[in-house]
Amino acid sequence: MSLQRYLLNGWLRRVEKPRMVRAQTPEPLRRAFEFQAKLLFHAPRGTTQRWTKLAHLPALEIVPKHVAANPLTILYFHGGGFTFGSPRTHAAMVAQLAYRLGARAILPQYRLAPEAPFPAAPDDALTAWNALVAAGTAPRDIVIGGDSAGGALAFGLLADLCAKGAALPGAVFGFSPLTDMTHSGESFQKNADCDVLLPAIRADRMGQMFLMQHPPEDPRVSPVFGKFEGAPPIWITVGDTEILHDDALSLSQVCQRDGVDVTLVEQHDLPHVWPIFHNILPEAKESLDSLAAWIRQQRDRPGES
């Protein structure tokens, strides 16, 4: 493991995790995340970003300097516990992936709790997907991704599409995805101290802001309760010290149960959604490289165009 990983974990444990514990409302987390993203994270040179619309939904479109012929579209849902984060906070990381693939990317600005509780976020995820397809993007040319709560939306959207027998994307990926809002995984308690970023003691409060008494077992936000027969290949990465470690493992097992091709990449002692630290961590760059290679492999599968 790198020296950068050691230093970053120390900073997250001493500064960011206590900040998340102290926050009584989402506003300070929103302000801090926006500031840090602007300061620390940078897209590749030549990347263009512009605001557009997916139906009525604002979305940030990212286009790298060099775009492949017949490019993929990355539909990405940002994390933040359904209460903070935005397309801007995750734009640089997604731009790094788009650059590696010569793909365009689009990040919907889905509605956040507590101002817009469930079902606003999963409804917006479905709106974004439907708008892309209606605009002429072939479903097989769309790769859906997300991190943390955005991973819940990405895989929840996939479960919803599978349940409806709808057209499906070419692939789906998740960075440290939240997949079980009942928090039944053993790692949620076992890793409560060693997770350098996420405070397990705040999860119920954040979940209540979002769910507002709605059952947490709904597959649209807890995809471990969904069914995935016929789903495209899936790629998931997670750290072994994260409280969400078992969320990733459980989703992988559910998808394998349903006959889905799943690649699960477990890493040691890396922080929650470490690819966002691509300007700092060599391990983040390696993960983005590996994911880009995997996506290219799915595009090159026989029968795909």
Side-chain angles (χ1 to χ4, degrees):
M1 288 291 180
S2 67
L3 173 62
Q4 293 95 321
R5 185 272 304 173
Y6 175 79
L7 295 173
L8 177 62
N9 279 355
W11 174 67
L12 292 173
R13 180 181 294 280
R14 292 173 176 81
V15 178
E16 294 303 322
K17 190 172 184 178
R19 187 202 305 272
M20 295 187 72
V21 172
R22 290 192 305 267
Q24 298 300 308
T25 66
E27 282 75 16
L29 299 178
R30 293 174 183 176
R31 291 193 299 269
F33 202 178
E34 295 284 342
F35 174 77
Q36 291 166 350
K38 187 175 182 180
L39 180 68
L40 297 175
F41 309 140
H42 307 289
R45 289 183 180 180
T47 300
T48 60
Q49 300 181 23
R50 71 180 186 95
W51 285 98
T52 184
K53 286 286 186 73
L54 292 170
H56 63 272
L57 195 65
L60 186 63
E61 184 178 35
I62 296 171
V63 180
K65 184 176 182 180
H66 300 292
V67 178
N70 188 26
L72 289 168
T73 296
I74 302 167
L75 176 61
Y76 193 87
F77 300 100
H78 70 81
F82 302 109
T83 63
F84 64 100
S86 74
R88 292 180 298 273
T89 57
H90 288 66
M93 176 181 67
V94 179
Q96 292 287 341
L97 180 60
Y99 170 80
R100 287 162 166 79
L101 291 166
R104 74 161 181 151
I106 192 155
L107 291 79
Q109 186 168 304
Y110 63 86
R111 290 167 290 171
L112 299 177
E115 296 90 343
F118 182 92
D123 283 354
D124 288 350
L126 182 60
T127 293
W129 166 264
N130 287 337
L132 268 184
V133 174
T137 305
R140 66 179 179 275
D141 291 333
I142 301 173
V143 176
I144 297 176
D147 65 278
S148 197
L153 294 177
F155 291 110
L157 173 60
L158 178 61
D160 191 24
L161 295 175
C162 288
K164 294 174 177 174
L168 298 174
V172 183
F173 68 91
F175 300 130
S176 306
L178 168 65
T179 71
D180 179 6
M181 292 201 68
T182 71
H183 308 311
S184 62
E186 182 182 344
S187 66
F188 204 82
Q189 299 301 326
K190 183 180 70 175
N191 288 348
D193 291 333
C194 57
D195 190 313
V196 298
L197 180 60
L198 294 186
I201 60 174
R202 297 294 295 169
D204 285 343
R205 171 61 178 153
M206 203 164 282
Q208 290 168 7
M209 285 186 195
F210 171 58
L211 289 172
M212 297 292 286
Q213 309 306 316
H214 186 79
E217 297 87 357
D218 192 313
R220 288 175 291 175
V221 290
S222 289
V224 292
F225 298 104
K227 295 182 179 179
F228 295 90
E229 289 91 348
I234 286 171
W235 186 97
I236 302 170
T237 193
V238 69
D240 62 358
T241 55
E242 294 192 60
I243 61 173
L244 297 184
H245 179 248
D246 284 355
D247 281 51
L249 269 61
S250 296
L251 180 63
S252 175
Q253 292 164 359
V254 166
C255 291
Q256 289 172 345
R257 174 204 69 192
D258 291 342
V260 182
D261 179 4
V262 180
T263 299
L264 175 65
V265 181
E266 298 176 76
Q267 298 283 14
H268 175 59
D269 198 28
L270 284 173
H272 183 61
V273 194
W274 66 88
I276 203 169
F277 298 105
H278 50 85
N279 292 108
I280 300 168
L281 281 182
E283 293 90 346
K285 296 177 182 178
E286 292 167 4
S287 293
L288 290 170
D289 288 343
S290 297
L291 173 57
W294 179 85
I295 292 173
R296 283 193 294 269
Q297 288 174 0
Q298 310 319 307
R299 195 76 183 283
D300 293 340
R301 284 183 301 155
E304 297 295 325
S305 58

